[in-house]
Amino acid sequence: MPNHLHPNHLHDDELIALASGEGEAPKHLKDCPRCALRFKEFERTLALTTTSMPQMEWNPLQSGGFMHQVRRGIELQSAPRPVPWWQPALGGAGLMLVVLLAFQAAVDQPALEQDSLLASESPDTIDFDEEGLSRILVDGSTGFEYGETVLNDEDDELLILIDAYLIDTATEDELMMSLGDLTEDGVGAAFDL
Amino acid sequence: MQRENLAIAFTPADSPASQMSEQVLVDRIRAGDSAAFDEVVRRHHERLIQFVYRVVNDPDDAADVAQETFIKAHRRFGEFRGHAGLFTWLYRIAYNESISLLRRRKLRSYLRLGSDGTVDQSWDPALSIDDDPTAEMESEQLQQQVEAAAAQLPPRQRAIFSMKHFEDMSHGDIARVLGRSEGAVRANYFHAVRKLRQYLSQTGLLDPQP
């Protein structure tokens, strides 16, 4: 039987636990040179990393400044935030825009239905669609200009948010929240620590 | 907002608050005593900064994260139930803030906004060694190698290792900080030590001493 498969040999996790001061060493550890050597290695690993791990230099004089910053942050967050004068106006304008768009959509709906009816009666339209589809499937060409990307809604939202982040109108937290929503997405996975 | 409105009066270090037990401090903070919160900051900030430093690997970021930790703790103090110790609760906020910072750092690197995505290797250790220049150099090299070994670990494993060995926290306490099971914490710890051993072995630091 190969040495590493010996049934009495201690598993690495057991050796680490022992080297970390958990439990008592079994007799096998004294008798087996292989386990003893490995145990020593874990012991030395822990000794080196715990004694030679660098510490951050911290001067007690820095504590005053640190506490001042904390207190200031607390004061700032508990102070009421003034509402900019333009915010209520912007809210009103936004509401008005929504109402106008809804009205426009209601007016356009009958015309769209009529266009759709006409289009379904035209054989040319059907041929064009099939041709376009086969171009995508066979040639790999989408008919878009070079540099254009076909995006799904999620990607589109993400890129808009990244653009907003780049020009400082979105916070990192907003962006991270959006990435968090895209857990299945490759980009989202890239940021998952 | 007027700047003068932010005048801050600190509680002196030898104030009555400095003699209070943690439970009394918690009760007084709940009653709105800002001096009691100052005392919590005074008692815990240095340990917390060192912990964050071991996770984020940058002194400026460590101070910023620790600061944000206390500000958040103050805001969310109503959520502190007292099941775990106050420091364990602070650690939990600090750990989450650290991970959030590392994610932002990674994002910046992805977006190529200044950071090159590499780990900042700017440890500035205080060396407590003899005047012997050879010993000093060896000690510095050793620290650099240990630092490089620690940098190999993912942030969660660094945090677990740090809490276990520098804060003497049990696996159960660490599990409460991270919001994970004790078994998962143990597995992460073993994994971290195995990785450290492998790295140090490759650099020859585990070779038998002459």
Side-chain angles (χ1 to χ4, degrees):
Chain A
M1 176 185 294
N3 196 31
H4 68 278
L5 293 178
H6 193 285
N8 289 337
H9 280 326
L10 296 172
H11 188 267
D12 276 355
D13 291 357
E14 293 172 288
L15 293 169
I16 293 168
L18 288 168
S20 306
E22 295 174 20
E24 288 193 15
K27 187 175 175 296
H28 174 80
L29 193 57
K30 288 174 190 160
D31 300 338
C32 173
R34 178 216 174 255
C35 288
L37 176 68
R38 208 156 171 83
F39 172 72
K40 284 279 171 211
E41 284 184 352
F42 282 124
E43 220 176 27
R44 184 156 167 74
T45 297
L46 291 175
L48 281 173
T49 43
T50 52
T51 55
S52 301
M53 184 81 83
Q55 297 272 308
M56 180 173 154
E57 266 188 35
W58 186 261
N59 188 321
L61 292 174
Q62 290 173 270
S63 293
F66 179 85
M67 291 188 62
H68 179 85
Q69 291 294 329
V70 171
R71 176 54 56 198
R72 187 161 179 267
I74 290 169
E75 298 281 347
L76 276 172
Q77 76 173 8
S78 42
R81 289 187 180 179
V83 179
W85 62 268
W86 47 264
Q87 245 183 28
L90 194 66
L95 188 66
M96 183 68 82
L97 190 65
V98 169
V99 171
L100 280 173
L101 286 174
F103 178 73
Q104 189 67 39
V107 168
D108 288 349
Q109 191 61 31
L112 281 172
E113 280 169 6
Q114 199 169 0
D115 285 350
S116 167
L117 199 64
L118 286 171
S120 66
E121 289 166 358
S122 164
D124 291 342
T125 309
I126 296 167
D127 289 342
F128 175 78
D129 284 349
E130 282 176 351
E131 187 188 331
L133 183 62
S134 65
R135 199 171 67 234
I136 292 169
L137 294 175
V138 177
D139 301 334
S141 157
T142 60
F144 287 92
E145 291 296 321
Y146 176 75
E148 274 190 335
T149 315
V150 185
L151 298 166
N152 62 32
D153 289 346
E154 276 191 346
D155 289 340
D156 212 5
E157 275 177 31
L158 178 63
L159 288 182
I160 288 167
L161 199 53
I162 287 175
D163 279 346
Y165 172 77
L166 289 171
I167 56 169
D168 285 336
T169 55
T171 65
E172 286 174 354
D173 283 342
E174 284 168 335
L175 187 50
M176 289 316 300
M177 209 176 291
S178 172
L179 290 171
D181 292 337
L182 302 175
T183 48
E184 298 303 312
D185 188 273
V187 182
F191 296 114
D192 192 19
L193 289 169
Chain B
M1 183 194 304
Q2 299 276 324
R3 196 119 173 133
E4 47 269 30
N5 289 345
L6 296 173
I8 296 156
F10 284 111
T11 318
D14 55 354
S15 70
S18 64
Q19 309 296 324
M20 290 175 191
S21 71
E22 187 172 291
Q23 188 53 53
V24 175
L25 281 175
V26 168
D27 292 342
R28 294 191 68 155
I29 293 168
R30 287 200 170 119
D33 182 353
S34 63
F37 192 79
D38 286 349
E39 179 57 25
V40 168
V41 179
R42 197 192 320 279
R43 280 185 195 179
H44 297 303
H45 73 276
E46 284 196 44
R47 278 172 70 194
L48 203 75
I49 287 170
Q50 293 293 350
F51 165 68
V52 173
Y53 176 60
R54 289 188 200 102
V55 180
V56 303
N57 201 6
D58 180 89
D60 293 331
D61 283 343
D64 286 347
V65 167
Q67 194 181 305
E68 193 55 34
T69 297
F70 284 113
I71 293 169
K72 277 207 170 143
H74 186 272
R75 188 167 65 223
R76 298 181 187 168
F77 208 80
E79 297 170 22
F80 176 60
R81 299 275 169 255
H83 300 314
L86 182 58
F87 194 56
T88 306
W89 185 65
L90 290 172
Y91 256 106
R92 183 169 188 148
I93 300 174
Y95 173 75
N96 289 336
E97 287 292 308
S98 302
I99 294 298
S100 179
L101 174 110
L102 292 173
R103 283 186 171 148
R104 285 200 297 272
R105 207 190 266 173
K106 217 169 181 180
L107 177 65
R108 277 199 205 96
S109 153
Y110 177 76
L111 295 175
R112 302 286 186 270
L113 287 180
S115 169
D116 59 0
T118 55
V119 176
D120 182 5
Q121 299 290 339
S122 58
W123 297 102
D124 192 7
L127 300 174
S128 55
I129 50 173
D130 300 332
D131 291 332
D132 178 3
T134 316
E136 186 173 335
M137 199 162 68
E138 281 175 2
S139 174
E140 202 166 347
Q141 280 175 347
L142 179 64
Q143 282 197 332
Q144 281 170 355
Q145 282 168 327
V146 170
E147 161 205 327
Q152 303 289 312
L153 302 178
R156 186 188 298 150
Q157 288 178 14
R158 278 206 302 271
I160 290 171
F161 188 86
S162 174
M163 282 186 271
K164 172 137 181 95
H165 286 289
F166 297 100
E167 301 302 333
D168 285 330
M169 289 168 74
S170 67
H171 287 132
D173 285 340
I174 298 170
R176 272 189 284 280
V177 168
L178 303 185
R180 295 185 174 262
S181 72
E182 205 173 318
V185 167
R186 281 179 75 82
N188 267 281
Y189 171 69
F190 292 146
H191 203 56
V193 178
R194 276 200 299 271
K195 266 192 203 164
L196 289 171
R197 188 203 71 85
Q198 190 181 8
Y199 186 88
L200 295 177
S201 175
Q202 283 166 357
T203 56
L205 281 171
L206 300 183
D207 294 345
Q209 300 300 299

